[in-house]
Amino acid sequence: MDKLSFNVMDDLKESQAVLSGFIEAPDTRELIEKGIEMMVDSIRAGGKIISAGNGGSMCDAMHFAEELTGRYRLNRPALPAISICDPCHITCVGNDYGFDYVFSRFLEGAGFKNDVFLGISTSGNSRNIIEACRVCREKGIKSICLLGKDGGQLKDLCDLAIIVPHEGYADRVQEIHTMIIHIFIRGMENLLTDRRS
């Protein structure tokens, strides 16, 4: 094998350092638990969770939704969740209105007051997530955003911002976002399964 131009252990140590910084922040537990509470309250009120992101964050949004409609750790009834990832919708809206509106347009049609929107943006400045949060405010839909860097514009546009404060490449932020998503799902499964059993 050719010699790598980087040290694999340095990547692992950087990832560990980003996670440690996030864990040690004073409000990490409170914010994650608040996110679980918001989504559980939504489902108990007959709402659903709508998730969205770009690129790898879209994959995270899809993963989040399929674990709720499918299964995570427990056998339990399916939970109402959908990710905005239909290529027909995205290309239609992107072509007719522009890519900035691919998520907001979906929320205009399929988002309702008891729903929660989960937006994922490693920069905190994704225009289409910003537009989605704007529609959430107009329609009374609660919004949670998983963000990176300093939270960008989105930290002030959503109801709950969970920020991974890393200024480097987005992959380190995405790794923590995946962990948060798994804790969200586990918390929802835990509370809603107990409630429904």
Side-chain angles (χ1 to χ4, degrees):
M1 180 173 126
D2 293 338
K3 186 171 176 59
L4 295 170
S5 63
F6 67 95
N7 185 327
V8 169
M9 296 307 294
D10 288 343
D11 268 34
L12 293 171
K13 288 174 183 176
E14 182 185 45
S15 183
Q16 182 181 45
V18 174
L19 176 60
S20 293
F22 181 68
I23 289 170
E24 290 163 10
D27 57 354
T28 294
R29 177 177 176 176
E30 177 186 349
L31 291 171
I32 292 173
E33 289 182 348
K34 178 64 177 172
I36 293 168
E37 179 186 4
M38 287 170 66
M39 291 185 281
V40 166
D41 287 348
S42 166
I43 290 171
R44 286 178 176 163
K48 61 187 177 295
I49 316 303
I50 303 171
S51 56
N54 296 290
S57 295
M58 174 179 275
C59 296
D60 287 339
M62 293 168 65
H63 177 57
F64 172 77
E66 57 86 5
E67 295 278 28
L68 293 178
T69 57
R71 180 182 184 272
Y72 183 60
R73 294 190 178 186
L74 303 177
N75 288 319
R76 41 79 183 161
L79 299 175
I82 187 168
S83 63
I84 309 174
C85 60
D86 181 346
C88 296
H89 166 81
I90 289 170
T91 54
C92 169
V93 174
N95 187 60
D96 292 346
Y97 296 97
F99 191 68
D100 289 353
Y101 303 98
V102 294
F103 302 141
S104 58
R105 190 79 178 164
F106 185 95
L107 288 163
E108 285 177 22
F112 299 96
K113 191 168 184 178
N114 286 329
D115 296 340
V116 167
F117 172 67
L118 175 65
I120 309 172
S121 171
T122 58
S123 70
N125 292 311
S126 301
R127 289 299 317 170
N128 49 18
I129 302 291
I130 289 171
E131 289 299 324
C133 286
R134 180 186 57 75
V135 168
C136 287
R137 288 213 167 156
E138 289 173 359
K139 297 191 73 174
I141 299 167
K142 291 275 198 292
S143 59
I144 301 168
C145 284
L146 302 184
L147 308 169
K149 299 185 185 294
D150 64 356
Q153 296 176 61
L154 280 161
K155 72 177 179 292
D156 298 319
L157 297 175
C158 62
D159 295 297
L160 180 70
I162 301 178
I163 303 167
V164 179
H166 178 63
E167 292 293 334
Y169 290 108
D171 51 357
R172 297 286 91 96
V173 175
Q174 287 175 327
E175 289 162 1
I176 310 304
H177 284 177
T178 300
M179 292 183 190
I180 296 166
I181 284 166
H182 283 157
I183 296 168
F184 277 169
I185 299 162
R186 187 177 183 195
M188 294 166 72
E189 246 187 12
N190 180 272
L191 295 176
L192 290 166
T193 299
D194 289 346
R195 188 85 169 180
R196 291 164 176 236
S197 60

